[in-house]
Amino acid sequence: MAHVEYLLVPTGMFRCASRLSRGSSFFLFGPNPISGVGPFFCLMSLLAPAACPAQTTPRSEIHATYVGSAACKVCHAETYSRWKNTRMANVVRDPREHPNSILPDLSVSDPLLTFAKDEIALVYGGKWKQRYFKKVGGDYFPLPAQWDVSNKVWRAYFVREGTDWWTPFYPADNMKRPTGPLCDGCHSVNYNIQTGMATEWNVGCEKCHGPGSEHLTRPSRATIVNPARLDFVSANDVCIQCHCQGRPLQNPIEGRYYDWPVGFHVGLDLKRFWQLEDHRLGETTFTHFADGTAHKNRMQGNDFVTSAMYTHGVRCFSCHDVHGTGNSADLIRPANVVCLECHGPHSPNGPHAASIEQHTHHKIASSGNECVACHMPKIEQTIANVNVRSHTFRFISPSETEQLKVPNACNVCHSDRSAKWAADVLRTWPEVSPWRVTK
Protein backbone atom coordinates (compact mmCIF):
# COMPACT_ATOMS: atom_id res chain seq x y z
CA MET A 1 0.00 0.00 0.00
CA ALA A 2 1.48 3.35 -1.00
CA HIS A 3 2.05 5.94 1.69
CA VAL A 4 -0.33 8.92 1.39
CA GLU A 5 0.53 12.55 2.17
CA TYR A 6 -1.91 15.45 2.29
CA LEU A 7 -0.32 18.79 1.49
CA LEU A 8 -2.19 22.01 2.10
CA VAL A 9 -0.46 24.55 -0.11
CA PRO A 10 -1.08 28.22 0.76
CA THR A 11 -2.49 30.55 -1.87
CA GLY A 12 0.09 31.40 -4.50
CA MET A 13 2.35 28.48 -3.62
CA PHE A 14 3.15 25.35 -5.51
CA ARG A 15 5.27 22.35 -4.63
CA CYS A 16 6.82 20.29 -7.37
CA ALA A 17 5.81 16.62 -7.42
CA SER A 18 9.35 15.56 -8.28
CA ARG A 19 10.49 16.52 -4.79
CA LEU A 20 8.39 13.77 -3.17
CA SER A 21 9.54 10.21 -2.80
CA ARG A 22 8.44 7.41 -5.04
CA GLY A 23 5.56 5.53 -3.53
CA SER A 24 3.77 8.67 -2.33
CA SER A 25 0.38 9.98 -3.38
CA PHE A 26 -0.77 13.44 -2.45
CA PHE A 27 -3.48 16.02 -2.84
CA LEU A 28 -2.45 19.50 -3.92
CA PHE A 29 -4.55 22.55 -3.15
CA GLY A 30 -4.01 26.14 -4.28
CA PRO A 31 -4.14 28.29 -7.44
CA ASN A 32 -3.05 26.92 -10.75
CA PRO A 33 0.71 27.64 -10.88
CA ILE A 34 0.56 28.54 -14.55
CA SER A 35 -2.57 30.64 -14.87
CA GLY A 36 -2.84 31.86 -11.28
CA VAL A 37 -6.54 30.98 -11.35
CA GLY A 38 -7.79 29.02 -8.38
CA PRO A 39 -8.61 27.08 -6.53
CA PHE A 40 -6.31 24.51 -8.07
CA PHE A 41 -6.81 20.91 -6.95
CA CYS A 42 -5.35 17.70 -8.19
CA LEU A 43 -4.50 14.24 -6.98
CA MET A 44 -0.97 13.35 -7.98
CA SER A 45 0.38 9.89 -7.50
CA LEU A 46 3.84 8.37 -7.70
CA LEU A 47 3.51 4.65 -8.15
CA ALA A 48 4.71 2.34 -5.42
CA PRO A 49 8.00 0.55 -6.08
CA ALA A 50 6.25 -2.77 -6.50
CA ALA A 51 4.15 -1.36 -9.32
CA CYS A 52 6.90 0.57 -11.11
CA PRO A 53 10.37 -0.51 -10.01
CA ALA A 54 12.99 2.21 -10.37
CA GLN A 55 16.08 1.21 -12.28
CA THR A 56 18.52 2.81 -9.87
CA THR A 57 21.67 1.78 -11.74
CA PRO A 58 22.26 1.33 -15.45
CA ARG A 59 21.84 -2.16 -16.86
CA SER A 60 25.20 -3.36 -18.16
CA GLU A 61 24.30 -7.00 -18.69
CA ILE A 62 21.92 -6.68 -21.61
CA HIS A 63 23.33 -9.21 -24.08
CA ALA A 64 21.83 -7.71 -27.20
CA THR A 65 22.84 -6.46 -30.60
CA TYR A 66 21.88 -3.33 -32.50
CA VAL A 67 18.94 -3.54 -34.89
CA GLY A 68 18.43 0.06 -36.08
CA SER A 69 15.65 2.52 -35.41
CA ALA A 70 13.37 1.21 -38.17
CA ALA A 71 12.83 -1.95 -36.11
CA CYS A 72 11.26 0.18 -33.35
CA LYS A 73 8.59 1.56 -35.66
CA VAL A 74 6.46 -1.58 -35.51
CA CYS A 75 5.48 -1.12 -31.86
CA HIS A 76 6.27 2.57 -31.35
CA ALA A 77 4.85 4.06 -34.55
CA GLU A 78 3.70 7.39 -33.11
CA THR A 79 6.99 8.05 -31.31
CA TYR A 80 9.00 6.94 -34.33
CA SER A 81 7.10 9.25 -36.67
CA ARG A 82 7.80 12.25 -34.43
CA TRP A 83 11.47 11.35 -34.03
CA LYS A 84 11.98 10.99 -37.79
CA ASN A 85 11.44 14.74 -38.22
CA THR A 86 13.81 15.88 -35.47
CA ARG A 87 17.33 17.20 -35.86
CA MET A 88 18.48 14.16 -33.88
CA ALA A 89 17.28 11.96 -36.72
CA ASN A 90 18.64 14.22 -39.46
CA VAL A 91 21.91 15.69 -38.26
CA VAL A 92 23.90 13.62 -40.80
CA ARG A 93 22.51 13.16 -44.29
CA ASP A 94 23.71 11.68 -47.54
CA PRO A 95 23.03 14.25 -50.30
CA ARG A 96 22.57 11.45 -52.83
CA GLU A 97 19.66 10.11 -50.79
CA HIS A 98 18.47 13.58 -49.73
CA PRO A 99 19.17 16.03 -52.59
CA ASN A 100 17.68 18.97 -50.67
CA SER A 101 19.95 18.46 -47.67
CA ILE A 102 22.59 20.91 -48.96
CA LEU A 103 21.32 24.35 -47.92
CA PRO A 104 23.49 26.84 -49.88
CA ASP A 105 23.52 27.22 -53.66
CA LEU A 106 26.86 25.71 -54.66
CA SER A 107 26.63 27.24 -58.13
CA VAL A 108 27.22 30.70 -56.64
CA SER A 109 30.96 31.27 -56.52
CA ASP A 110 32.71 32.25 -53.30
CA PRO A 111 36.44 32.39 -52.45
CA LEU A 112 35.89 29.92 -49.60
CA LEU A 113 33.95 27.46 -51.73
CA THR A 114 36.76 25.31 -53.11
CA PHE A 115 34.90 22.01 -53.49
CA ALA A 116 32.16 20.69 -55.74
CA LYS A 117 28.86 19.04 -54.88
CA ASP A 118 30.03 15.62 -56.01
CA GLU A 119 32.81 15.73 -53.39
CA ILE A 120 30.27 15.91 -50.56
CA ALA A 121 29.64 12.44 -49.16
CA LEU A 122 27.81 13.54 -46.01
CA VAL A 123 26.19 16.74 -44.81
CA TYR A 124 26.28 17.62 -41.12
CA GLY A 125 23.85 20.01 -39.41
CA GLY A 126 21.40 22.58 -40.67
CA LYS A 127 20.06 24.77 -37.88
CA TRP A 128 22.98 27.09 -37.11
CA LYS A 129 25.69 25.82 -39.42
CA GLN A 130 26.22 23.15 -42.02
CA ARG A 131 29.44 21.27 -42.60
CA TYR A 132 30.46 18.91 -45.39
CA PHE A 133 32.40 15.65 -45.25
CA LYS A 134 34.40 14.07 -48.04
CA LYS A 135 35.02 10.33 -48.16
CA VAL A 136 38.59 9.17 -48.77
CA GLY A 137 39.13 5.45 -48.50
CA GLY A 138 37.18 4.19 -45.53
CA ASP A 139 37.05 7.50 -43.64
CA TYR A 140 35.39 10.89 -43.89
CA PHE A 141 37.16 14.25 -43.67
CA PRO A 142 35.77 17.79 -43.16
CA LEU A 143 35.87 20.07 -46.17
CA PRO A 144 37.36 23.56 -45.57
CA ALA A 145 34.19 25.70 -45.62
CA GLN A 146 30.97 25.70 -43.60
CA TRP A 147 27.67 27.45 -44.23
CA ASP A 148 26.51 29.99 -41.64
CA VAL A 149 22.75 29.33 -41.76
CA SER A 150 21.67 32.45 -39.85
CA ASN A 151 23.82 34.93 -41.77
CA LYS A 152 23.71 33.00 -45.06
CA VAL A 153 27.42 33.29 -45.73
CA TRP A 154 30.34 30.90 -46.17
CA ARG A 155 32.90 30.74 -43.37
CA ALA A 156 36.19 28.90 -43.23
CA TYR A 157 36.16 25.65 -41.30
CA PHE A 158 39.38 24.63 -39.64
CA VAL A 159 39.98 23.86 -35.95
CA ARG A 160 42.91 26.09 -35.03
CA GLU A 161 45.91 24.93 -33.04
CA GLY A 162 45.58 25.54 -29.31
CA THR A 163 41.78 25.38 -29.29
CA ASP A 164 40.36 21.86 -28.93
CA TRP A 165 42.55 19.62 -26.76
CA TRP A 166 43.22 17.16 -29.60
CA THR A 167 44.82 19.61 -32.08
CA PRO A 168 48.46 18.78 -31.10
CA PHE A 169 47.83 15.16 -32.06
CA TYR A 170 46.64 15.81 -35.63
CA PRO A 171 48.27 17.60 -38.59
CA ALA A 172 47.14 21.11 -39.51
CA ASP A 173 45.24 19.79 -42.53
CA ASN A 174 41.53 18.91 -42.64
CA MET A 175 42.26 16.02 -44.97
CA LYS A 176 44.38 14.44 -42.24
CA ARG A 177 41.79 14.87 -39.49
CA PRO A 178 39.27 12.03 -39.98
CA THR A 179 35.78 12.40 -38.57
CA GLY A 180 35.83 8.82 -37.24
CA PRO A 181 37.86 9.56 -34.12
CA LEU A 182 36.82 13.22 -33.83
CA CYS A 183 33.08 13.29 -34.64
CA ASP A 184 31.34 10.13 -35.70
CA GLY A 185 30.83 8.44 -32.35
CA CYS A 186 28.23 11.06 -31.43
CA HIS A 187 26.66 11.35 -34.87
CA SER A 188 25.81 7.69 -35.18
CA VAL A 189 24.63 4.57 -33.39
CA ASN A 190 27.16 1.83 -32.60
CA TYR A 191 30.13 3.29 -34.48
CA ASN A 192 32.83 0.63 -34.86
CA ILE A 193 36.35 2.06 -34.54
CA GLN A 194 37.88 -0.95 -36.32
CA THR A 195 35.68 -0.87 -39.41
CA GLY A 196 34.56 2.76 -39.46
CA MET A 197 31.00 1.52 -39.89
CA ALA A 198 27.89 2.35 -37.85
CA THR A 199 24.55 0.62 -37.40
CA GLU A 200 22.99 3.89 -38.51
CA TRP A 201 23.96 7.52 -38.88
CA ASN A 202 22.21 10.10 -36.68
CA VAL A 203 20.99 9.81 -33.10
CA GLY A 204 18.75 6.78 -33.38
CA CYS A 205 16.62 5.02 -30.78
CA GLU A 206 19.43 2.76 -29.59
CA LYS A 207 21.73 5.69 -28.87
CA CYS A 208 19.53 6.44 -25.87
CA HIS A 209 17.93 3.05 -25.17
CA GLY A 210 20.82 0.68 -25.84
CA PRO A 211 20.94 -2.30 -28.24
CA GLY A 212 17.45 -3.56 -29.00
CA SER A 213 17.58 -7.10 -30.36
CA GLU A 214 16.40 -8.75 -27.15
CA HIS A 215 13.62 -6.20 -26.75
CA LEU A 216 12.56 -6.90 -30.31
CA THR A 217 12.11 -10.61 -29.60
CA ARG A 218 10.91 -10.27 -26.00
CA PRO A 219 9.29 -6.83 -25.52
CA SER A 220 9.43 -5.92 -21.84
CA ARG A 221 11.01 -3.42 -19.48
CA ALA A 222 13.70 -5.95 -18.64
CA THR A 223 15.09 -6.11 -22.20
CA ILE A 224 15.64 -2.42 -22.93
CA VAL A 225 17.05 0.62 -21.13
CA ASN A 226 14.52 3.34 -20.40
CA PRO A 227 16.36 6.50 -19.28
CA ALA A 228 13.23 7.58 -17.39
CA ARG A 229 13.78 4.67 -15.00
CA LEU A 230 17.48 5.36 -14.37
CA ASP A 231 18.81 7.34 -11.43
CA PHE A 232 19.24 11.01 -12.31
CA VAL A 233 23.01 10.83 -12.84
CA SER A 234 22.79 7.92 -15.29
CA ALA A 235 19.71 9.39 -16.96
CA ASN A 236 21.48 12.67 -17.64
CA ASP A 237 24.60 10.86 -18.83
CA VAL A 238 22.52 9.56 -21.74
CA CYS A 239 22.59 13.12 -23.10
CA ILE A 240 25.89 14.24 -21.59
CA GLN A 241 27.80 11.55 -23.50
CA CYS A 242 27.58 13.85 -26.54
CA HIS A 243 26.41 17.25 -25.27
CA CYS A 244 29.66 18.15 -23.56
CA GLN A 245 33.32 18.92 -24.04
CA GLY A 246 35.64 16.29 -22.62
CA ARG A 247 37.96 13.44 -23.51
CA PRO A 248 38.30 9.68 -23.01
CA LEU A 249 40.05 8.49 -19.85
CA GLN A 250 42.47 6.53 -22.01
CA ASN A 251 44.00 8.02 -25.15
CA PRO A 252 45.24 7.17 -27.69
CA ILE A 253 43.05 4.20 -28.55
CA GLU A 254 44.58 1.89 -31.15
CA GLY A 255 46.90 4.70 -32.21
CA ARG A 256 44.27 7.42 -32.62
CA TYR A 257 43.07 10.18 -30.31
CA TYR A 258 39.30 10.15 -29.88
CA ASP A 259 37.01 13.04 -28.97
CA TRP A 260 34.03 10.95 -27.88
CA PRO A 261 33.51 8.22 -25.22
CA VAL A 262 34.71 5.14 -27.08
CA GLY A 263 33.22 1.94 -25.65
CA PHE A 264 30.34 3.58 -23.83
CA HIS A 265 26.74 2.77 -24.52
CA VAL A 266 23.62 3.38 -22.48
CA GLY A 267 23.55 0.83 -19.69
CA LEU A 268 27.22 1.36 -18.80
CA ASP A 269 28.81 3.89 -16.44
CA LEU A 270 29.95 6.97 -18.39
CA LYS A 271 32.57 8.00 -15.83
CA ARG A 272 34.52 4.81 -16.61
CA PHE A 273 35.00 6.08 -20.18
CA TRP A 274 34.87 9.86 -20.13
CA GLN A 275 35.89 12.97 -18.22
CA LEU A 276 34.53 16.48 -18.67
CA GLU A 277 36.92 19.25 -19.65
CA ASP A 278 38.67 20.75 -16.62
CA HIS A 279 38.41 24.42 -15.73
CA ARG A 280 40.12 26.67 -13.20
CA LEU A 281 38.09 29.57 -11.85
CA GLY A 282 39.32 32.93 -13.03
CA GLU A 283 40.62 31.62 -16.36
CA THR A 284 38.92 32.30 -19.68
CA THR A 285 39.69 29.44 -22.07
CA PHE A 286 38.50 28.06 -25.39
CA THR A 287 35.86 26.04 -23.54
CA HIS A 288 34.96 28.13 -20.46
CA PHE A 289 34.41 31.66 -19.28
CA ALA A 290 36.25 32.71 -16.12
CA ASP A 291 33.30 31.81 -13.85
CA GLY A 292 33.07 28.28 -15.25
CA THR A 293 30.13 28.88 -17.61
CA ALA A 294 30.58 27.20 -20.98
CA HIS A 295 32.16 29.35 -23.68
CA LYS A 296 30.88 27.45 -26.71
CA ASN A 297 28.20 25.17 -28.11
CA ARG A 298 27.90 21.44 -27.34
CA MET A 299 28.63 22.08 -23.67
CA GLN A 300 25.14 21.79 -22.22
CA GLY A 301 26.34 18.92 -20.05
CA ASN A 302 29.32 20.85 -18.69
CA ASP A 303 26.94 23.63 -17.66
CA PHE A 304 24.16 21.45 -16.35
CA VAL A 305 26.20 19.40 -13.89
CA THR A 306 27.14 22.64 -12.10
CA SER A 307 23.53 23.75 -11.71
CA ALA A 308 21.11 23.56 -8.81
CA MET A 309 18.71 21.84 -11.20
CA TYR A 310 21.11 18.91 -11.57
CA THR A 311 21.80 18.57 -7.85
CA HIS A 312 18.05 18.47 -7.21
CA GLY A 313 17.57 15.53 -9.56
CA VAL A 314 16.19 17.29 -12.64
CA ARG A 315 16.88 15.38 -15.85
CA CYS A 316 17.38 16.66 -19.39
CA PHE A 317 14.09 15.09 -20.42
CA SER A 318 12.29 16.91 -17.62
CA CYS A 319 12.32 19.79 -20.12
CA HIS A 320 13.10 18.24 -23.53
CA ASP A 321 11.56 15.41 -25.53
CA VAL A 322 14.08 14.25 -28.13
CA HIS A 323 11.35 12.24 -29.86
CA GLY A 324 10.12 15.59 -31.16
CA THR A 325 7.63 18.27 -30.22
CA GLY A 326 6.28 21.40 -31.85
CA ASN A 327 8.24 23.61 -29.47
CA SER A 328 11.63 25.23 -29.83
CA ALA A 329 14.51 22.92 -28.86
CA ASP A 330 12.00 20.06 -28.56
CA LEU A 331 10.82 21.38 -25.22
CA ILE A 332 7.92 19.40 -23.78
CA ARG A 333 5.98 22.67 -23.52
CA PRO A 334 6.78 26.33 -24.29
CA ALA A 335 9.74 27.54 -22.24
CA ASN A 336 7.92 29.70 -19.68
CA VAL A 337 5.31 27.01 -19.11
CA VAL A 338 8.04 24.44 -18.42
CA CYS A 339 9.76 26.75 -15.92
CA LEU A 340 6.56 27.79 -14.13
CA GLU A 341 5.55 24.20 -13.47
CA CYS A 342 8.09 24.18 -10.64
CA HIS A 343 8.72 27.89 -10.18
CA GLY A 344 6.20 30.65 -9.70
CA PRO A 345 5.28 33.66 -7.56
CA HIS A 346 5.83 32.90 -3.86
CA SER A 347 6.92 29.35 -4.66
CA PRO A 348 9.47 27.84 -2.26
CA ASN A 349 11.54 27.30 -5.42
CA GLY A 350 11.33 31.01 -6.31
CA PRO A 351 10.93 33.58 -7.59
CA HIS A 352 10.06 35.32 -4.33
CA ALA A 353 7.82 38.00 -5.79
CA ALA A 354 4.10 38.63 -6.15
CA SER A 355 4.19 38.14 -9.93
CA ILE A 356 6.57 37.21 -12.71
CA GLU A 357 6.49 40.80 -13.96
CA GLN A 358 7.55 42.07 -10.54
CA HIS A 359 10.40 39.58 -10.56
CA THR A 360 11.64 40.42 -14.05
CA HIS A 361 10.74 44.13 -14.21
CA HIS A 362 9.68 43.54 -17.81
CA LYS A 363 6.24 43.67 -19.37
CA ILE A 364 4.07 40.60 -19.95
CA ALA A 365 4.80 38.93 -23.30
CA SER A 366 8.10 40.80 -23.69
CA SER A 367 11.29 38.83 -24.29
CA GLY A 368 12.72 40.17 -21.03
CA ASN A 369 9.84 38.59 -19.12
CA GLU A 370 10.80 35.09 -20.21
CA CYS A 371 12.56 32.92 -17.64
CA VAL A 372 15.20 31.79 -20.15
CA ALA A 373 16.13 35.38 -21.01
CA CYS A 374 17.86 35.85 -17.65
CA HIS A 375 18.57 32.29 -16.52
CA MET A 376 19.59 30.81 -19.89
CA PRO A 377 21.06 33.72 -21.86
CA LYS A 378 22.45 33.14 -25.35
CA ILE A 379 26.13 33.62 -24.56
CA GLU A 380 27.76 30.44 -25.89
CA GLN A 381 29.14 30.64 -29.42
CA THR A 382 28.18 28.15 -32.07
CA ILE A 383 29.40 30.09 -35.12
CA ALA A 384 30.50 33.73 -35.58
CA ASN A 385 27.89 35.95 -33.90
CA VAL A 386 25.38 33.13 -33.38
CA ASN A 387 25.12 31.95 -29.78
CA VAL A 388 23.15 29.27 -27.94
CA ARG A 389 21.72 29.28 -24.42
CA SER A 390 23.72 28.50 -21.31
CA HIS A 391 22.48 25.66 -19.09
CA THR A 392 23.75 26.67 -15.64
CA PHE A 393 20.37 28.37 -14.93
CA ARG A 394 22.37 30.87 -12.90
CA PHE A 395 21.79 34.61 -13.22
CA ILE A 396 25.12 36.19 -14.13
CA SER A 397 25.39 39.61 -12.51
CA PRO A 398 26.57 42.53 -14.68
CA SER A 399 29.31 43.06 -12.10
CA GLU A 400 30.78 39.71 -13.17
CA THR A 401 31.07 41.12 -16.66
CA GLU A 402 33.08 44.00 -15.28
CA GLN A 403 35.27 41.78 -13.09
CA LEU A 404 35.60 38.55 -15.09
CA LYS A 405 34.54 39.51 -18.62
CA VAL A 406 31.68 37.00 -18.49
CA PRO A 407 28.71 38.08 -20.64
CA ASN A 408 25.51 38.74 -18.68
CA ALA A 409 21.86 38.43 -19.63
CA CYS A 410 21.06 42.14 -19.28
CA ASN A 411 23.54 43.25 -21.90
CA VAL A 412 22.69 40.42 -24.28
CA CYS A 413 19.47 42.35 -24.95
CA HIS A 414 20.59 45.85 -23.95
CA SER A 415 23.68 45.63 -26.11
CA ASP A 416 23.88 49.40 -26.49
CA ARG A 417 24.36 49.83 -22.73
CA SER A 418 27.27 49.07 -20.41
CA ALA A 419 27.54 46.46 -17.68
CA LYS A 420 27.79 49.31 -15.16
CA TRP A 421 24.46 50.67 -16.40
CA ALA A 422 22.85 47.25 -15.91
CA ALA A 423 24.30 46.89 -12.40
CA ASP A 424 23.07 50.37 -11.45
CA VAL A 425 19.55 49.51 -12.64
CA LEU A 426 19.52 46.28 -10.63
CA ARG A 427 20.38 48.24 -7.50
CA THR A 428 17.08 50.10 -7.85
CA TRP A 429 15.03 46.90 -7.76
CA PRO A 430 13.85 46.56 -4.13
CA GLU A 431 13.61 42.76 -4.17
CA VAL A 432 17.16 42.24 -5.48
CA SER A 433 19.86 41.69 -2.89
CA PRO A 434 22.47 44.48 -2.99
CA TRP A 435 25.11 41.88 -2.09
CA ARG A 436 24.24 39.88 -5.18
CA VAL A 437 24.41 42.93 -7.47
CA THR A 438 27.87 43.87 -6.24
CA LYS A 439 29.12 40.27 -6.23
Side-chain angles (χ1 to χ4, degrees):
M1 184 71 177
H3 173 65
V4 178
E5 295 182 38
Y6 293 88
L7 297 180
L8 184 61
V9 182
T11 299
M13 297 185 70
F14 175 64
R15 188 177 302 277
C16 218
S18 63
R19 299 299 183 89
L20 293 172
S21 61
R22 181 175 293 276
S24 297
S25 297
F26 60 93
F27 291 95
L28 182 63
F29 298 86
N32 186 310
I34 307 303
S35 67
V37 177
F40 177 67
F41 167 86
C42 69
L43 171 64
M44 304 185 76
S45 184
L46 301 179
L47 295 178
C52 184
Q55 190 173 309
T56 56
T57 56
R59 287 177 49 82
S60 59
E61 298 303 321
I62 295 179
H63 302 291
T65 56
Y66 289 86
V67 294
S69 296
C72 307
K73 181 179 180 180
V74 177
C75 296
H76 303 282
E78 188 276 332
T79 302
Y80 179 88
S81 65
R82 284 191 289 123
W83 165 81
K84 280 292 289 182
N85 294 317
T86 65
R87 293 201 311 278
M88 290 285 189
N90 295 282
V91 67
V92 177
R93 308 190 89 186
D94 184 336
R96 291 160 185 78
E97 297 177 9
H98 305 278
N100 296 326
S101 60
I102 299 175
L103 297 180
D105 184 352
L106 299 182
S107 67
V108 178
S109 63
D110 187 281
L112 293 174
L113 184 57
T114 59
F115 52 87
K117 183 177 180 178
D118 59 8
E119 291 183 75
I120 301 173
L122 292 176
V123 172
Y124 165 75
K127 181 174 183 179
W128 296 294
K129 57 198 172 192
Q130 189 169 77
R131 292 171 178 166
Y132 310 93
F133 298 161
K134 179 178 182 177
K135 191 168 187 180
V136 180
D139 231 327
Y140 296 90
F141 298 84
L143 289 162
Q146 59 186 328
W147 180 249
D148 181 333
V149 177
S150 303
N151 296 296
K152 294 182 170 54
V153 296
W154 286 101
R155 299 191 188 277
Y157 179 58
F158 174 73
V159 180
R160 299 188 313 275
E161 296 293 323
T163 53
D164 276 315
W165 66 265
W166 51 261
T167 57
F169 304 106
Y170 285 88
D173 179 350
N174 277 5
M175 289 299 107
K176 294 181 180 178
R177 293 177 168 182
T179 64
L182 299 177
C183 309
D184 294 344
C186 284
H187 301 159
S188 67
V189 176
N190 190 34
Y191 182 86
N192 186 310
I193 66 171
Q194 281 82 32
T195 65
M197 303 291 287
T199 297
E200 65 180 302
W201 290 106
N202 298 303
V203 184
C205 305
E206 292 164 299
K207 191 72 176 179
C208 302
H209 294 280
S213 63
E214 286 195 7
H215 188 66
L216 194 63
T217 56
R218 294 186 297 111
S220 75
R221 288 177 176 174
T223 55
I224 200 71
V225 175
N226 183 349
R229 295 178 59 231
L230 298 176
D231 65 274
F232 83 93
V233 173
S234 301
N236 284 320
D237 282 349
V238 173
C239 304
I240 290 173
Q241 63 171 307
C242 291
H243 286 269
C244 71
Q245 286 284 323
R247 63 188 76 184
L249 294 180
Q250 295 181 340
N251 248 337
I253 300 169
E254 298 186 8
R256 281 178 160 183
Y257 286 84
Y258 283 79
D259 196 26
W260 49 273
V262 177
F264 173 78
H265 65 74
V266 173
L268 301 177
D269 188 353
L270 182 60
K271 69 176 181 290
R272 290 175 43 217
F273 301 85
W274 189 248
Q275 58 184 340
L276 296 182
E277 200 69 37
D278 288 333
H279 174 259
R280 286 190 291 185
L281 289 176
E283 289 188 0
T284 298
T285 66
F286 176 65
T287 55
H288 291 83
F289 290 109
D291 72 333
T293 302
H295 198 305
K296 60 192 291 290
N297 187 30
R298 212 199 82 181
M299 291 188 66
Q300 293 86 356
N302 303 71
D303 272 353
F304 189 45
V305 297
T306 70
S307 73
M309 296 286 195
Y310 182 85
T311 57
H312 284 79
V314 174
R315 295 117 188 265
C316 302
F317 49 78
S318 299
C319 301
H320 301 274
D321 181 358
V322 295
H323 304 111
T325 73
N327 300 310
S328 175
D330 284 327
L331 289 170
I332 58 176
R333 282 173 281 283
N336 255 25
V337 177
V338 172
C339 300
L340 294 175
E341 288 182 335
C342 291
H343 298 272
H346 295 306
S347 163
N349 303 321
H352 305 293
S355 67
I356 298 300
E357 295 73 43
Q358 182 179 323
H359 173 65
T360 65
H361 289 253
H362 286 76
K363 294 179 181 178
I364 296 176
S366 70
S367 59
N369 194 51
E370 295 179 357
C371 306
V372 294
C374 292
H375 294 279
M376 300 184 69
K378 291 184 176 181
I379 61 173
E380 301 177 4
Q381 185 185 50
T382 182
I383 184 171
N385 61 347
V386 182
N387 293 336
V388 296
R389 296 193 183 279
S390 70
H391 277 68
T392 65
F393 302 97
R394 185 176 70 86
F395 175 73
I396 300 172
S397 170
S399 62
E400 291 180 78
T401 300
E402 295 182 298
Q403 298 165 17
L404 300 173
K405 309 305 179 188
V406 183
N408 69 81
C410 302
N411 293 121
V412 166
C413 292
H414 300 281
S415 56
D416 59 333
R417 303 282 192 149
S418 68
K420 182 181 183 305
W421 168 85
D424 288 343
V425 171
L426 287 178
R427 290 188 186 96
T428 69
W429 295 5
E431 68 283 351
V432 174
S433 165
W435 319 118
R436 191 174 185 185
V437 172
T438 57
K439 176 181 172 183

